[in-house]
């Protein structure tokens, strides 16, 4: 199978995940303390940039696929899976460093498992459940919130830190709303 550009972008997001993990973990052990307020973490910064680039590919793979009619079954399967893998990986790492509360991570993981299960049942029954605006808001707000959290270690601005977590909790609310919306839209899956 020849890979088109959107599929390559999706695959690059999956390939970026191990690099993100490695640099994030190395960064935990290699902080350079400048003073009691500021620390420089080159590897954490590198992990954050990898996450940013991977997140940007999510926007462009879908846009290019729709614009040039390059939508494939591989893309339909792997694009949302790559998003979930990237977001859940970042959440688990940030939970480990206590930058994200474990309950938020648990809500996200349970949502993704629930929706993936519903999709499998729907696929088996030949039912297609269209993505909603809530799912798109969830994904984009999660990516923005996680980028801000990854970079928040480089600022001592309390307003920035508060805004970062407000955006994160809004994205967690979208997780719940999109789950409810998805369950309502998948009513045919349960009743047929």
């Amino acid at each position: 199978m020849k890979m088109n550009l959107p599929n390559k972008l999706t695959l690059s997001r999956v390939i970026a995940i191990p690099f993100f993990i490695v640099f994030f973990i190395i960064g935990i052990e290699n902080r350079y303390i400048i003073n009691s307020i500021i620390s420089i973490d080159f590897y954490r910064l590198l992990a954050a940039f990898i996450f940013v680039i991977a997140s940007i590919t999510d926007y462009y793979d879908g846009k290019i696929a729709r614009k040039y009619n390059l939508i494939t079954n591989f893309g339909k399967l792997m694009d949302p899976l790559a998003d979930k893998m990237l977001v859940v990986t970042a959440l688990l790492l940030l939970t480990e460093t206590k930058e994200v509360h474990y309950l938020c991570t648990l809500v996200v993981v349970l949502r993704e498992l629930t929706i993936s299960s519903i999709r499998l049942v729907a696929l088996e029954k030949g039912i297609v459940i269209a993505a909603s605006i809530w799912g798109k808001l969830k994904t984009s707000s999660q990516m923005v919130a996680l980028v801000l959290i990854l970079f928040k270690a480089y600022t001592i601005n309390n307003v920035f830190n508060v805004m970062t977590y407000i955006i994160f909790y809004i994205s967690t609310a979208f997780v719940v709303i999109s789950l409810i919306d998805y369950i309502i839209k998948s009513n045919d899956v349960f009743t047929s």
Side-chain angles (χ1 to χ4, degrees):
M1 174 180 91
K2 186 176 179 187
M3 298 284 281
N4 62 30
L5 180 58
N7 290 345
K8 287 177 183 175
L9 289 173
T10 298
L11 196 56
S12 73
R13 197 156 59 254
V14 174
I15 292 167
I17 293 169
F19 294 99
F20 171 70
I21 293 169
V22 167
F23 289 126
F24 188 96
I25 291 171
I26 292 172
I28 293 171
E29 305 296 324
N30 292 291
R31 287 205 171 106
Y32 300 100
I33 307 299
I34 303 297
N35 58 40
S36 61
I37 298 174
I38 300 171
S39 70
I40 302 229
D41 178 353
F42 171 76
Y43 295 102
R44 168 71 177 255
L45 194 58
L46 196 52
F49 279 117
I50 289 170
F51 188 88
V52 167
I53 292 166
S55 298
I56 291 170
T57 67
D58 178 44
Y59 172 76
Y60 283 105
D61 64 3
K63 185 174 182 164
I64 293 167
R66 285 185 295 278
K67 183 175 181 179
Y68 296 104
N69 196 24
L70 297 172
I71 298 168
T72 63
N73 288 334
F74 176 85
K76 287 180 194 174
L77 173 71
M78 284 306 296
D79 181 52
L81 184 59
D83 296 344
K84 289 173 185 18
M85 291 167 64
L86 183 64
V87 167
V88 169
T89 298
L91 283 171
L92 290 172
L93 291 170
L94 290 167
T95 300
E96 176 63 24
T97 59
K98 304 203 180 340
E99 295 171 80
V100 168
H101 197 279
Y102 72 92
L103 286 176
C104 293
T105 301
L106 184 62
V107 166
V108 171
V109 170
L110 291 175
R111 183 247 186 224
E112 300 306 349
L113 289 171
T114 302
I115 290 193
S116 294
S117 300
I118 292 170
R119 278 193 178 131
L120 284 173
V121 174
L123 184 65
E124 209 172 74
K125 295 182 178 195
I127 299 170
V128 176
I129 303 166
S132 73
I133 187 68
W134 296 111
K136 293 177 194 296
L137 285 171
K138 177 218 45 122
T139 301
S140 57
S141 65
Q142 275 180 328
M143 299 283 191
V144 168
L146 290 171
V147 165
L148 292 174
I149 292 170
L150 286 166
F151 282 106
K152 109 180 157 47
Y154 300 98
T155 179
I156 56 173
N157 185 326
N158 287 332
V159 174
F160 177 83
N161 291 336
V162 168
M163 290 304 297
T164 295
Y165 282 101
I166 288 172
I167 293 168
F168 178 72
Y169 290 120
I170 289 170
S171 78
T172 305
F174 285 145
V175 166
V176 175
I177 293 166
S178 67
L179 173 62
I180 293 166
D181 180 60
Y182 202 87
I183 289 171
I184 291 168
K185 285 184 176 177
S186 63
N187 186 40
D188 292 348
V189 174
F190 301 113
T191 57
S192 63

